[in-house]
Amino acid sequence: MEAKRRIEELTRLLNEHAHRYYVLDDPIISDGEYDRIFQELLALEDAYPALAGKDSPTRRVGGAPLEKFDQVIHRLPMLSLENGFSDSDLESFSERIHRFLSQPVETGYSAEPKLDGLAVELVYDRGKLVQGSTRGDGITGEDITLQLRSISAIPLSLRSVYPELLEVRGEVYMEKAGLLHLNAKQSAKGLQPFANPRNAAAGSLRQLDPAVTAERPLRFFAYGVANPAATACKTQTDLLAGLKQMGFPVCSYAAFCPTMEAVIEHYRTLAEIRHTLPYDIDGMVVKVDEFSLQERLGAKSRAPRWAIARKFPATQATTKLLKVDFQVGRTGAITPVALLEPVAIDGAMVSRATLHNQDEFLRKDLRLGDTVLVQRAGDVIPEVVKPITEIRDGTELPVTMPASCPSCGTELVKPDDEAVTRCLNSLCPAQRLRTLIHYSSKAGLDIEGLGKKCVEQLYERGLILTIPDIYKLDRDRLKNLDGWGEKSADNVLAAIEQAKKPALSRFLSALGIRFIGEINASLLETHFGSLAQLRQAAKEELLEIDGIGEQAAESLSAYFSSSQVTDMLSELEKAGVHPVILEQSGTGQVLSGLVFLFTGSLTHLSRDEAKKLVKEHGGQIASSVTGKVTHVVAGEKAGSKLHKAEESGKTVLTEEQFLALLG
Ligand code: IVH
C-alpha cells in the first residue's frame, strides 16, 4: 500500500533527522525542510488515521490536560549527590573511597558537567517509552509522561541494542537561547519572565496541559540508568556511549579521567568554558567509572559513596541591607534574616538572605544601611557574607539580637555550647504555626491543598491551632473563607481524610520532633513497628538502635513524656489518626522477617556493605543481642556478643554462610 509505505518512510526520515539534530549534533537539513516533511506526514495520517504509528513524531503532543499529576514510585530510589567545593574535597573523596575499598581506584572516573535543570526518569519497556517522572523526593515522583513525550530530544523508541527494561535518568533543561525566546513570548503576553533557564524548565515541565510543555524549548541529556547491571556496560563511560547508541542525547563534555589529577584538570576546563556553553551547568559530577566498584561502595542514606558534585564557586553581588528580621523556627530557633535591596545574582533576584544564627550574625557586625556582600550557590538559600565596612559613612545603625521572642515575648535563651538562640516556650504562636506548616508540608504528611499560605490563613482565623485541629476542620466554615469555595474545601477535607493513615515513619517526621528527620523516623519505624511500642521505649532502648544517637534519644524521650504531647496524641487518636506500617516492598525477599546482628571483623565485605545487603534482601539490622535478633553473623575476633548469642540460642553464621544465604 502506497500510503502505508510513505508514512513509514516519512516517520523514519523525521526520526533520523531528529536524531542527527539532538543526539549527533550534526543536522543535514534546515528547520524549514524538517517542517515540510512533518506537514506531509501529518496530512497523510489525517487521511489514513489507522496507519498512524503510536510513536509517530506527530504524536508527541497529545492527551487532555491533567487534573493533577499522579504519583510514581521509583523502582530504585533516585539519590542525590554529596557536594564538594574545592580540590581538596575531591582529594578527600578519593581517599574515602580508597579506605572503604581497601584499595585505590585504578580504573578511573567519569567527570561530567553538572547540568542545571531537572532530574527525570524515563522508563522504556522493550524499547518503548512507557513512563516518565520527576525525581520528587527521590522515592516518589510525579508522573509527567505526557509532558516528557512532547520533548523532541527524548526518544519514544530506542535504537540499537537495549535491555528489556531500561530506566534512564537524566536532566531536562532549557538552553540559554531558548529562555530568551520564551521570555520574549512571555513578555508579549504580559506574563512574568522566568528568572533563569532552570526555573523555566521546571515551570514548563510542571504544566498540567502537555500542549503547553510542547511549546517550550526543552532539551534532555541522559547521564545514567537506575540499574547498570541490566545493560551490558561495565563502566559509566561505556554506559554514556551506549545511551548515545540507543538514541539519547548525552553531554559531549563528559570525560573519562584515569586519575584524580585528571579529574581536577577537567574541572578547570569546565570552569573556563562554562559561560560559552549553550546551557547552564553549575559544577561537575565525578563518578567512579567501574560499576562493580560503584556497587561495592553503595550509598549512604541520600547519596551514593561513588559520586560527588564539585560545585562552581558561589556567585556574589553587593547590595544594601535594609532591615533584619528575626524568625522563630519550628523548634524555637531564632534565625536572623536580612532584607535586602533586590539584586540579581546568577539570574535570580535576591531580596532576602539568611544570617544563619546569633554567633554568625554578631560576628559579622552588620549595620542597617550597610552595603553587604551576598552570595548564592546553586539552589541553596542566599547568605550575607560580610558588610563592606570600608564604605560606611557613619549613618549606618547597629542591629542587635532581641532579648525576647518576637512572637510571644518570652525571654530568649542561648545555651553556651550552641550557636542558636531559642525561644523555649512550647506554646509560642510562631513555633506552633511552624509546626503546623511542617506537619502538612511535603516534608511532613504532604496534605494537598494545605500548603504554607493556607495553614497561615487557618491559623490566623483560629481554625487550626494544634495538629488535631486539622482533623476537625468544618466544611461550612472552610468554604466561606476568603479565596475558598465548596470545591477547594472538599478537596482539602478529602486530603486530610487520607492523612489519617500515614506511614508511621512519615508521621514521626511530620510531628517535627527535634533530631527526628526522615531517616531517624524510618529507623524507629523498623525497630518498633508501632507508635505504642515506640512511646513505651526507654531512652536506653532507643540508644540501642543503630543510627539513633544521644541527642535524638534524649529528644524523643522528652517529647513522649510531655503531657501536652500525650494529650495531643490521644486527641489525634480520637480524631481517627492511626499511623500504619506500610507493607515493605521487600516481602517475599529471602531475608524478610529476619533480624541480623554482625559482630567481629568480616573479610569479604565491609560492615556497611553487609548491612546494605541485609536491607536489600528485606532483612533488618540490630546492634545488640535482643530478643528480636534471629541471626548473628560472626566474623574474626568476635567477642562478647557472639558469646551472648550462643548462650541465648541464636542461629550463628559465618560470613560465608551468610553470603550463601543470599545466593
Ligand atoms: S548523577 C546518584 N550526573 O544533580 C547519582 N546527576 O544531586 C545522581 N545532575 O538533580 C545523579 N548533571 O539531576 C548525575 N551528569 C550528572 C548530572 C546530575 C546534573 C543533577 C541531577 C540531580 C542532582 C543530583
Side-chain angles (χ1 to χ4, degrees):
M1 214 171 113
E2 194 52 32
K4 180 159 184 278
R5 230 178 307 125
R6 185 68 186 152
I7 285 180
E8 282 169 5
E9 169 70 7
L10 295 172
T11 304
R12 197 188 56 75
L13 268 177
L14 288 173
N15 282 338
E16 194 53 38
H17 287 305
H19 180 72
R20 291 199 74 104
Y21 185 78
Y22 290 109
V23 181
L24 306 180
D25 199 12
D26 180 25
I28 48 170
I29 59 170
S30 68
D31 290 1
E33 281 169 284
Y34 182 90
D35 212 46
R36 272 195 295 282
I37 309 178
F38 192 91
Q39 294 304 329
E40 185 186 343
L41 178 60
L42 255 187
L44 268 176
E45 288 177 341
D46 260 358
Y48 305 93
L51 297 181
K54 231 175 80 217
D55 288 338
S56 159
T58 61
R59 295 279 183 103
R60 282 193 172 268
V61 192
L66 306 174
E67 288 221 344
K68 66 176 185 56
F69 296 108
D70 283 336
Q71 289 208 327
V72 172
I73 300 185
H74 302 296
R75 197 179 62 86
L76 296 170
M78 289 179 79
L79 299 175
S80 68
L81 289 169
E82 185 193 332
N83 287 327
F85 297 94
S86 63
D87 292 351
S88 80
D89 286 348
L90 288 181
E91 309 275 9
S92 329
F93 165 73
S94 78
E95 282 158 19
R96 246 187 344 263
I97 292 178
H98 183 156
R99 253 181 281 129
F100 193 93
L101 296 171
S102 316
Q103 70 184 78
V105 171
E106 280 165 347
T107 40
Y109 303 89
S110 173
E112 309 163 14
K114 184 164 190 299
L115 308 154
D116 198 9
L118 261 97
V120 298
E121 177 169 77
L122 303 169
V123 181
Y124 290 83
D125 180 12
R126 280 156 287 184
K128 300 283 179 216
L129 176 62
V130 291
Q131 188 177 64
S133 53
T134 59
R135 172 173 183 273
D137 62 7
I139 308 286
T140 317
E142 286 178 322
D143 189 333
I144 48 164
T145 310
L146 295 176
Q147 288 69 14
L148 288 170
R149 276 183 65 95
S150 78
I151 301 176
S152 310
I154 293 180
L156 300 178
S157 324
L158 300 183
R159 312 159 73 92
S160 85
V161 195
Y162 46 79
E164 188 166 300
L165 174 69
L166 183 73
E167 294 136 317
V168 172
R169 280 147 186 208
E171 200 86 352
V172 169
Y173 67 95
M174 195 177 285
E175 290 197 338
K176 298 173 195 170
L179 176 71
L180 285 180
H181 204 73
L182 172 60
N183 273 348
K185 283 212 248 173
Q186 291 282 106
S187 307
K189 287 188 208 154
L191 298 171
Q192 198 69 13
F194 291 99
N196 54 46
R198 183 194 156 85
N199 287 2
S204 303
L205 259 190
R206 287 201 87 263
Q207 292 288 334
L208 290 167
D209 184 354
V212 176
T213 309
E215 286 180 354
R216 304 284 172 84
L218 294 173
R219 293 289 195 111
F220 176 74
F221 272 139
Y223 55 63
V225 296
N227 176 22
T231 67
C233 305
K234 297 268 178 275
T235 65
Q236 169 71 9
T237 305
D238 284 351
L239 178 69
L240 291 179
L243 285 169
K244 191 164 173 179
Q245 297 253 303
M246 287 181 225
F248 294 98
V250 169
C251 178
S252 55
Y253 292 93
F256 168 74
C257 299
T259 60
M260 198 35 84
E261 289 79 69
V263 168
I264 292 171
E265 185 62 38
H266 191 56
Y267 171 79
R268 302 242 186 291
T269 310
L270 289 180
E272 237 164 66
I273 62 160
R274 67 182 285 210
H275 293 294
T276 67
L277 297 178
Y279 41 82
D280 275 349
I281 62 175
D282 59 346
M284 178 179 82
V285 182
V286 187
K287 306 173 184 173
V288 167
D289 203 36
E290 280 242 348
F291 290 133
S292 63
L293 293 184
Q294 288 189 4
E295 209 174 306
R296 275 178 61 198
L297 286 161
K300 287 181 276 187
S301 55
R302 284 165 201 278
R305 284 196 194 81
W306 45 263
I308 188 167
R310 164 71 160 103
K311 302 291 277 272
F312 289 134
T315 326
Q316 303 183 324
T318 55
T319 184
K320 275 231 152 34
L321 175 66
L322 302 177
K323 186 169 180 255
V324 177
D325 253 1
F326 294 91
Q327 288 186 347
V328 189
R330 181 162 48 85
T331 56
I334 308 289
T335 311
V337 176
L339 305 187
L340 308 164
E341 215 168 77
V343 60
I345 308 183
D346 209 9
M349 286 311 276
V350 173
S351 56
R352 297 164 67 82
T354 179
L355 292 160
H356 299 291
N357 54 49
Q358 169 167 343
D359 286 357
E360 278 276 308
F361 166 69
L362 294 180
R363 196 176 51 75
K364 285 179 183 148
D365 181 28
L366 292 167
R367 318 261 166 97
L368 295 185
D370 263 344
T371 298
V372 289
L373 184 64
V374 182
Q375 79 175 11
R376 179 176 167 260
D379 35 9
V380 301
I381 306 170
E383 59 171 357
V384 173
V385 183
K386 59 170 189 185
I388 315 289
T389 49
E390 294 77 7
I391 53 173
R392 279 183 180 159
D393 63 9
T395 59
E396 298 80 9
L397 300 169
V399 216
T400 47
M401 278 299 285
S404 56
C405 172
S407 170
C408 68
T410 306
E411 197 179 330
L412 298 177
V413 177
K414 180 179 176 289
D416 282 341
D417 53 345
E418 279 191 44
V420 178
T421 308
R422 280 178 202 284
C423 163
L424 296 181
N425 172 15
S426 58
L427 298 174
C428 167
Q431 288 181 53
R432 298 177 70 154
L433 174 58
R434 290 270 155 193
T435 303
L436 291 165
I437 293 173
H438 174 76
Y439 186 80
S440 61
S441 75
K442 284 213 160 40
L445 295 194
D446 196 10
I447 304 178
E448 210 169 313
L450 210 54
K452 182 165 182 262
K453 286 258 150 49
C454 174
V455 175
E456 281 170 352
Q457 182 189 23
L458 298 177
Y459 186 81
E460 272 157 29
R461 289 308 193 87
L463 292 183
I464 50 174
L465 296 174
T466 65
I467 294 175
D469 290 347
I470 295 179
Y471 297 93
K472 297 177 198 157
L473 282 171
D474 174 67
R475 183 174 184 272
D476 287 336
R477 300 272 319 256
L478 272 184
K479 73 169 203 248
N480 292 322
L481 288 175
D482 253 9
W484 289 69
E486 296 201 352
K487 191 153 186 260
S488 43
D490 285 342
N491 287 345
V492 163
L493 289 174
I496 292 174
E497 193 57 35
Q498 275 196 359
K500 285 187 175 171
K501 295 223 174 333
L504 177 58
S505 56
R506 196 92 193 232
F507 178 71
L508 289 173
S509 54
L511 290 176
I513 310 165
R514 235 182 127 194
F515 302 114
I516 308 299
E518 257 169 80
I519 302 199
N520 279 348
S522 66
L523 290 175
L524 294 168
E525 170 177 303
T526 316
H527 188 86
F528 291 102
S530 77
L531 183 59
Q533 292 281 349
L534 166 63
R535 288 177 65 180
Q536 282 168 15
K539 192 177 148 195
E540 292 65 42
E541 192 181 345
L542 293 166
L543 282 169
E544 274 176 22
I545 306 171
D546 212 4
I548 300 285
E550 180 66 35
Q551 288 177 312
E554 180 64 48
S555 158
L556 273 170
S557 24
Y559 186 82
F560 286 119
S561 58
S562 133
S563 64
Q564 272 172 36
V565 170
T566 312
D567 291 349
M568 176 188 75
L569 292 177
S570 63
E571 258 194 83
L572 279 176
E573 210 176 314
K574 265 190 245 140
V577 180
H578 298 291
V580 293
I581 303 289
L582 294 183
E583 275 295 308
Q584 293 262 320
S585 55
T587 48
Q589 285 180 286
V590 276
L591 303 186
S592 84
L594 306 184
V595 181
F596 282 78
L597 173 87
F598 290 89
T599 178
S601 52
L602 306 177
T603 44
H604 302 291
L605 303 164
S606 72
R607 265 293 167 88
D608 281 341
E609 284 178 307
K611 288 183 182 171
K612 183 166 160 257
L613 280 173
V614 170
K615 289 189 188 141
E616 280 173 0
H617 289 80
Q620 294 176 42
I621 299 290
S623 56
S624 63
V625 190
T626 61
K628 294 209 180 77
V629 172
T630 58
H631 290 68
V632 174
V633 181
E636 280 169 30
K637 303 206 192 85
S640 62
K641 286 186 186 169
L642 172 60
H643 216 71
K644 193 162 167 203
E646 282 169 342
E647 267 175 10
S648 46
K650 307 278 182 203
T651 311
V652 177
L653 303 175
T654 61
E655 187 181 355
E656 286 74 19
Q657 286 169 325
F658 166 69
L659 287 169
L661 201 62
L662 304 177

